Amino acid sequence: MGRKRIKIIQATAFGEKLQTLRLKRGLSREALGLSAGVSATYIGMLESGQRQPSRDLVLRFGQSFYPQGHAGGPDELLLLAGFSPLQTRPAPQQDLLEIYTQAVAEDPYDFKAFVSLILALIKNGDHMAAQLKLQEGFGQFDAHLQLQCLLALLELSKGRTDDAVNTMELVLRQYRAHPEREQGVRQADLLLNLGSMYFIKACEMDRETGKKDLKQACRLLQEAASIAPHDVYILDEYARASFNLAAILSGHAADAQWRETVSSFRAVLALDDRKQLGAPLLREATVFLGLAYAKSGQLDAAELSLQIIGALSPDYWLLNYVEACRLCLAHAREPCDTLLQRAMVSLALAAESMDPQNRTHSEAPLDPDLAPLRTRFPEQFTLMLKSPSQSKTNQEIPT
């Protein structure tokens, strides 16, 4: 008689975190299951690692545990479950929303500005505002392809990303079938819209599933850039999609994509019209360029890019976070304990920032670039990221 094979079940990081949060808040499995719409038995299976949650379920847990909002709580749950965090969505800064809002106010019939405003609202999570604005659009635009674009955006605002993508792909095919007609839209803008939708879709998926959508987003945005090589919004969106794709690739594919990302951000920053993006986005793009330099092995160029921003915005959390990553990458190439000590100081500066966009506390515990810090200074690293009040730059870094 053959032996019965016993399946060994190992607890997952997500399951352990779920149980910790549940017990900390004094919730039974039944109570948590009721608020999240699943059974107590399923909660137990999630905690033990027998089941993996969907993204929607993780977000419902986030609402249960953090009803008043939290700097990084929901994002931490998403990361532990293998999903992209909310904050990694290609969300524009507030000043870009203001730019689009002003452009639409000055010319309500500027269809490109109108669509850009809707996409910006959706990326920022303002779905109701996007839907209200779309209702205005249906009343003021009448070209067939314009209305189809608005329908695609309406689907996107309602969370039906696949339907939005399918509708926008149909619009693009219809345009290409009769490019000679005056249709109220530009091909480059259609490619930008479709690429942005694939970008958003990728951020809703786990890393492996999202990789395919990110590649498609990059292809579409690269084609748009080839048609409109001086459109700063297209080039910026492509550079950010390229950055996200490079971050989930590995080996030679990642190396090539990081080099492409460097070229893409350099193209954005070299444009005469770059100021249209606004100072916050340009600052962010320069920091991302610095990290892309470091990831592609160009550590001197990375240091120079970050020094430029450091001279202007020394307290910028993303600058200090990326500087910590750069120093860790330099350590990986030529091990030096002093580099890790400097990286800890930079990370502490990032962690103590009160910027509402600060993602240090949710991303640093899982960031592979910061692994040397977690290994070399485990207790200090954990203490630093417990809460902003514990992240002090004058903390003692052991030698």
Side-chain angles (χ1 to χ4, degrees):
M1 181 181 295
R3 294 182 180 179
K4 184 177 181 180
R5 182 174 296 176
I6 300 175
K7 182 179 181 181
I8 299 176
I9 299 173
Q10 296 181 337
T12 62
F14 172 81
E16 292 175 351
K17 182 67 175 181
L18 182 66
Q19 184 179 53
T20 298
L21 288 172
R22 179 177 64 79
L23 295 176
K24 185 176 180 180
R25 285 159 177 74
L27 295 174
S28 65
R29 288 176 176 170
E30 288 78 6
L32 178 59
L34 183 62
S35 66
V38 296
S39 67
T41 301
Y42 193 70
I43 296 293
M45 296 174 79
L46 289 171
E47 292 181 348
S48 67
Q50 292 177 268
R51 292 289 186 273
Q52 292 297 316
S54 66
R55 182 183 174 87
D56 287 342
L57 181 56
V58 176
L59 291 175
R60 292 201 295 275
F61 285 139
Q63 293 172 354
S64 297
F65 292 129
Y66 308 105
Q68 302 303 319
H70 186 275
D75 280 348
E76 182 183 8
L77 290 176
L78 286 166
L79 285 165
L80 291 175
F83 296 104
S84 299
L86 295 171
Q87 293 295 342
T88 61
R89 286 175 174 272
Q93 298 289 339
Q94 185 64 30
D95 70 322
L96 191 55
L97 271 174
E98 293 173 358
I99 290 173
Y100 290 142
T101 300
Q102 181 178 349
V104 171
E106 292 176 354
D107 183 1
Y109 294 94
D110 183 340
F111 188 71
K112 178 183 178 180
F114 186 88
V115 169
S116 297
L117 174 59
I118 299 300
L119 277 171
L121 288 169
I122 293 172
K123 290 176 183 179
N124 270 2
D126 298 331
H127 297 129
M128 185 57 67
Q131 291 171 24
L132 291 173
K133 198 67 183 176
L134 280 167
Q135 293 305 317
E136 296 179 20
F138 284 118
Q140 65 192 52
F141 297 104
D142 54 15
H144 174 68
L145 292 189
Q146 289 179 335
L147 294 174
Q148 290 294 103
C149 285
L150 298 183
L151 285 173
L153 290 168
L154 183 60
E155 296 289 357
L156 189 66
S157 71
K158 294 181 178 180
R160 297 196 283 262
T161 314
D162 286 335
D163 291 337
V165 166
N166 291 336
T167 301
M168 189 59 71
E169 286 180 335
L170 177 61
V171 173
L172 184 59
R173 287 197 298 271
Q174 291 176 340
Y175 178 92
R176 285 173 165 168
H178 302 285
E180 73 285 354
R181 294 179 182 175
E182 178 60 43
Q183 304 181 72
V185 293
R186 294 193 317 164
Q187 182 176 200
D189 295 334
L190 295 179
L191 290 164
L192 170 62
N193 299 340
L194 183 55
S196 296
M197 288 180 179
Y198 270 106
F199 196 168
I200 293 171
K201 183 182 177 185
C203 292
E204 297 175 347
M205 304 296 175
D206 60 81
R207 290 170 69 93
E208 286 304 312
T209 306
K211 188 186 300 183
K212 178 181 178 182
D213 291 321
L214 265 178
K215 288 181 177 179
Q216 180 65 0
C218 285
R219 283 192 289 268
L220 290 163
L221 293 168
Q222 193 170 35
E223 183 180 354
S226 69
I227 297 172
H230 302 295
D231 189 314
V232 68
Y233 301 110
I234 292 176
L235 267 62
D236 181 69
E237 187 80 346
Y238 172 61
R240 291 166 187 270
S242 179
F243 184 99
N244 279 263
L245 179 58
I248 62 175
L249 294 175
S250 58
H252 295 305
D255 294 339
Q257 197 64 47
W258 282 121
R259 290 192 295 271
E260 175 64 20
T261 301
V262 166
S263 298
S264 301
F265 275 118
R266 283 174 59 90
V268 171
L269 297 172
L271 281 178
D272 292 338
D273 293 337
R274 61 185 178 276
K275 290 184 179 179
Q276 292 182 19
L277 288 175
L281 278 181
L282 287 174
R283 181 180 65 173
E284 187 179 75
T286 306
V287 174
F288 284 154
L289 173 61
L291 183 54
Y293 270 133
K295 298 287 279 186
S296 62
Q298 303 176 68
L299 294 172
D300 290 341
E303 184 176 14
L304 179 59
S305 293
L306 298 179
Q307 284 177 345
I308 292 172
I309 296 301
L312 301 173
S313 305
D315 297 327
Y316 182 31
W317 78 268
L318 185 60
L319 165 70
N320 290 302
Y321 185 96
V322 169
E323 173 65 1
C325 293
R326 183 192 71 81
L327 290 165
C328 286
L329 291 168
H331 167 80
R333 175 170 289 192
E334 295 184 18
C336 174
D337 209 51
T338 301
L339 291 173
L340 295 186
Q341 293 174 32
R342 289 170 56 195
M344 280 292 283
V345 172
S346 292
L347 189 62
L349 283 168
E352 72 175 358
S353 170
M354 301 307 293
D355 188 331
Q357 298 296 320
N358 190 352
R359 303 189 298 275
T360 301
H361 293 265
S362 61
E363 295 191 5
L366 299 169
D367 193 325
D369 292 338
L370 300 178
L373 299 185
R374 294 193 290 271
T375 301
R376 177 67 177 84
F377 308 115
E379 294 182 3
Q380 290 74 19
F381 190 94
T382 301
L383 180 64
M384 180 194 304
L385 297 176
K386 272 190 175 181
S387 68
S389 63
Q390 291 173 298
S391 304
K392 301 299 182 183
T393 57
N394 61 357
Q395 65 180 311
E396 181 180 355
I397 304 298
T399 60

